[in-house]
Amino acid sequence: MFCNLAAMAQQPVQAQKSPTQVQQQHTRPANQKTPAEKMKSKPWNWKRQFFQNMTTRYNYYFHANLQLQGILAGVNRERQENYSEFLPFYPYSAESLNLNQSDLDSVITRASIAIQIHDARGKWIDDCYLLIGKAYYYKADWENADKTFAFINMNFAPKKKDEYKTVVGQSKNSQLSIATREKRKGVVGKMKHKSARNDAFLWQAKSYLEQGKYDDAQSLLNILSEDPYYPKRLHGSLAEMQAFRLYKQERYLESIEPLKVAIKDTDDKIQRARMQYILGQIYDYNKQPDSALVAFRDVLSFHPDPLMDFHARLEIAKNNILAEGGSLEESLAALEKMLKKENFIPYRDVIYFTMAEIAMPEDEARAEEFLQRSLKEPSDNTVQKAVTYYTLANMRYDDRNYAAAKKYYDSAAAVMPNDFSAAEIINARKDVLNEVDANIALIHQEDSLQAIAAMDPSSRNIFLEKRASEMKAEAKRKAALFGRENNSFYVPPSAEVTQQRLMNSNPLYAQQNGGQGNVNGSMGDWYFYNPVTKSSGLQEFKRRWGNRPLVDNWRRSAAAGIGTNARMPGDLSALDSVEAQLLSRNMEALPADSITVELLSKNLPLTPELLQQSKQKQMNAGFDLGKLYHDKLENLPEAIKAYDTLLIKFPEHPRKPEILYSLYVWNDQASNTQAAERYKNQLLKDYGATEFARAIRGVKFENVDDQNNKAALALYDSAYINYLSGNYDIVLQNKKAADSLYQKYPHQAQFEILNSMALAKLGDEAGAKAALEAVIQKYTADDEIIAKAQSLLNVMNHKQELVDYLSGLQVQNTDDKTRKVDENINIVYPWQRPDPKLVDSTQLQKAKDSLQNITPEPPPKPKTPYKLKGDDLTAANPHFVVLSFNRVEKAMIDKGVAQFSKYNAEKHAGEGIEVSSFVLTPTDIMLIFRLFPNEEAALKYWGEVQKEAPKSIIPHINPKDYSIFIISRENFILLNTSKDLQGYKEFFESNYELN
């Protein structure tokens, strides 16, 4: 990889096959040469050079490059940008392009043919290889893309005439250079062919970034930025790639400076406008309205596409309010003028949304009016509709108006694209509110059915006859509205009808299925047999209508669900809830004339058994409703109200002890002291023998908490002690009891891990693995829990290799007859060995017996000559700050890198402090902060992070799990050589004041 390019300097290049050679080796005999290979023996005179370069460039490279640019232009036209969030750095994501693979394969084929039939000494051969690498990149075929770019680097590296092999890298004034030097002075020099190898370096870095290999990309880009021979024409592209790296890692403040350089020096005008817009977004995100205002105004000077121009004007209006001298009314007036302009008519929905955004902080009612106007504007912009619905839903959700919020979340989910940034939140809240709405609807339905059933028979019949007449009239009205025959509910067409319609619309269908059809028709003439037109049509459909399910009458039903109150005749949600319940068992192809009093009476709870079933439904729904309000919506008042209502209606609820306990805890959390005390006393008095009473008996009122109740903690503590004692069955019993009694409780994740360990101890390895995998899936936000579970899972998956590894340790007798383990062993995990040694059971048992009485002899403590360099702390002496972890956990290390990078971007922007992980030994992992010019600067930063790390940077990591110190460059070299980390820590503590 290019992160090791410094080590590759002055090394000869090994023979490497090109991508085209790999493709061709199975398609022709081994002794048959390609035209390119045959031409190597011919003289490379000016005539051959001229014709070979011309035909390679204009007959093959030109057309392949033109085809690739056309593919990308099509993607740019079809993409809908979401300007309400950070734009992607490029107008595409390589992994989500969904490009036609055959089109990209065609680019690869054209370029490969050019390489195979033309002289390899031609100037445009490396450009053809670069095209192949780009095509693989856009296919997200990272392996072949990396191989192609590496091939260009190795095989087209500059070579002196007297050198037999190419040397990658050279030293120039103590600087490493890996670039191909370009002589471009004067008019003739600028017209010369440019080396594609220099471009391939940037594409290699780009490929690394798409794969998340940030360290590899940073290493390569750092070398190129210091390379004295890297061509000036690519300095803008190099800055662009540096900005892309930082932007992709969400290090926005750090990306500002390289963005400015890239905007100034990059040749691509479209990308320059995009980067300028992103720069404005970064300033806006970091509350710098004056800088954002300037950046968005500069976007207009690039004359971008109409949509970006439009959004830049919106951002100018928004930031004008916050900038010095701006006002709300001034910005709204500017937006009102945009509404009147003809060229902005297609974007009126976005203008109204922007007006709502800037009005929201001062006048929420006015903002909602603008949002409603945005929805009324006719538009094909489904992304904007999703954003508007989502904003309205959040407003109603924050107001605790869940019924209205549910409707808006449903609408947002219906129109949002798959990659919508808030899709996860929308779906989660929609599902919760659907549960709440279903429980409320069920309670009301059962109330209505019970009320009807409680009527005297004559009054009930009169009521049902009236309702049946109303339902018949409504059904007829809707049938006429939608053109249905026989006044019946909609029935989907049968398979025979569907087949006949298909045969009528497509004669080829009849021909292929044995019928009579148009035998002269060409398969390629029908729209759905042409993959290009079909794909184009699908993209256009998604652009206009969003992601819609494949159902009958999608357009009518979707429009009804969003824009009007009309419904399909078969959709009972348009009927009264009582009618829906009455017809729930009798709706299949139900004609309107079939709605009778007898039919409506079937689902009424007219017997004691049915009445009890109806009440049980209400009790269950009421109990679930209270839990939903508290656990998922975090709405204490509504949760308390739901359970109070439930106890008033059903004073003998079968789960009354748990309801009383919940009311006690919730009122305590809401500071309703008297109500909490009342429910507590009632629980202790009437249900003193229950687990809920035992959980609060003897515990002070203010110390009891639903999330940290003492009973669950007692069960966990008991399970832990029994695990240590070898009583694994009791661990399983306690876990089962905790799950049955409490929905959530303290140390629940740790309890589940302890449960999996007990299962493993009892021999149920499959159950233990399943439990650990469930923990990983359940606690996705808890990095520490995931790391622990994954570590245990890795050990279980490699149990046999670990046993074999331990059995293979060599045991030796020393002169004093004691035994010790041979320490001359590489510390490598057993499952990382390509070919682990297996031993028989006899040898394994002997090894286990011999290890029982081992008394390891401690190794001699290394003495490393660490030293200080003078007393002047400001003298030029490069230093590092090091954070050393006391235990190795990948999740913890990755989290540390991310958090410190974010901290440096916010607190030390522009100082160039970089943080990366460093492996001293397999058990000593560090974070290196570099580079500080002298000891004083390093000490200042060390003192700062020493205080801030446990408070705000990495508060989730126990301070006992790491230590922070500074080290000079000379001492770091000694440390890396001796691996004596403990020795340096002692040296640091004895020579620096740590107060």
Side-chain angles (χ1 to χ4, degrees), residues 198-428:
N198 292 323
D199 299 82
F201 285 129
L202 294 179
W203 279 93
Q204 179 75 84
K206 195 173 183 180
S207 177
Y208 284 153
L209 291 173
E210 289 291 355
Q211 299 173 68
K213 298 179 180 179
Y214 300 118
D215 290 340
D216 294 343
Q218 180 179 349
S219 298
L220 175 56
L221 293 174
N222 287 345
I223 292 174
L224 295 177
S225 63
E226 300 295 331
D227 195 320
Y229 292 144
Y230 199 68
K232 187 177 180 180
R233 67 178 179 87
L234 292 175
H235 284 182
S237 300
L238 179 59
E240 178 183 330
M241 209 53 57
Q242 290 279 24
F244 179 41
R245 174 179 68 86
L246 296 168
Y247 188 75
K248 196 172 179 64
Q249 292 178 275
E250 299 183 1
R251 297 160 61 179
Y252 300 124
L253 282 175
E254 295 177 69
S255 66
I256 290 177
E257 291 305 318
L259 265 176
K260 290 179 178 178
V261 177
I263 293 168
K264 180 182 177 182
D265 296 339
T266 303
D267 295 331
D268 188 343
K269 292 184 179 180
I270 296 176
Q271 184 60 23
R272 288 173 68 189
R274 189 178 193 84
M275 289 189 291
Q276 185 68 49
Y277 192 93
I278 289 172
L279 182 62
Q281 288 184 311
I282 293 174
Y283 282 132
D284 183 43
Y285 177 77
N286 288 283
K287 311 299 182 186
Q288 300 178 36
D290 292 317
S291 298
L293 201 59
V294 173
F296 285 120
R297 283 173 178 165
D298 288 342
V299 172
L300 302 181
S301 66
F302 288 113
H303 303 290
D305 65 80
L307 193 59
M308 183 176 289
D309 179 284
F310 167 71
H311 281 280
R313 295 177 188 275
L314 297 185
E315 293 297 332
I316 291 171
K318 287 196 292 185
N319 282 279
N320 182 63
I321 301 173
L322 304 174
E324 186 177 354
S327 67
L328 172 62
E329 297 303 325
E330 182 183 350
S331 294
L332 289 177
L335 293 172
E336 289 281 2
K337 289 182 180 179
M338 291 178 65
L339 286 170
K340 298 175 182 179
K341 293 185 177 181
E342 185 176 356
N343 56 323
F344 291 142
I345 289 177
Y347 309 124
R348 281 181 174 175
D349 57 334
V350 185
I351 297 175
Y352 277 122
F353 179 81
T354 305
M355 296 173 74
E357 274 191 304
I358 62 178
M360 186 79 70
E362 298 185 16
D363 191 344
E364 189 171 308
R366 191 179 184 185
E368 183 171 0
E369 180 184 350
F370 288 137
L371 290 173
Q372 296 295 350
R373 289 185 184 180
S374 174
L375 291 176
K376 292 178 181 178
E377 288 293 331
S379 173
D380 296 336
N381 190 346
T382 56
V383 173
Q384 181 56 55
K385 284 192 180 296
V387 172
T388 307
Y389 279 126
Y390 177 55
T391 304
L392 284 166
N394 287 341
M395 292 173 65
R396 299 286 75 83
Y397 185 87
D398 293 339
D399 295 340
R400 308 296 175 90
N401 185 351
Y402 298 127
K406 172 187 174 297
K407 295 178 181 178
Y408 287 125
Y409 281 128
D410 286 342
S411 299
V415 298
M416 67 182 182
N418 290 332
D419 58 351
F420 193 65
S421 60
E424 186 175 350
I425 297 176
I426 290 173
N427 290 325

Side-chain angles (χ1 to χ4, degrees), residues 428-470:
R429 290 186 175 179
K430 177 174 69 74
D431 293 342
V432 172
L433 295 179
N434 280 336
E435 290 184 62
V436 171
D437 186 66
N439 283 307
I440 293 175
L442 178 60
I443 293 171
H444 291 166
Q445 285 176 5
E446 297 302 326
D447 279 339
S448 300
L449 294 176
Q450 291 171 23
I452 297 172
M455 294 179 179
D456 62 83
S458 59
S459 300
R460 183 168 61 244
N461 287 337
I462 294 173
F463 174 81
L464 292 178
E465 286 178 356
K466 181 180 178 181
R467 299 301 290 167
S469 299
E470 293 174 353

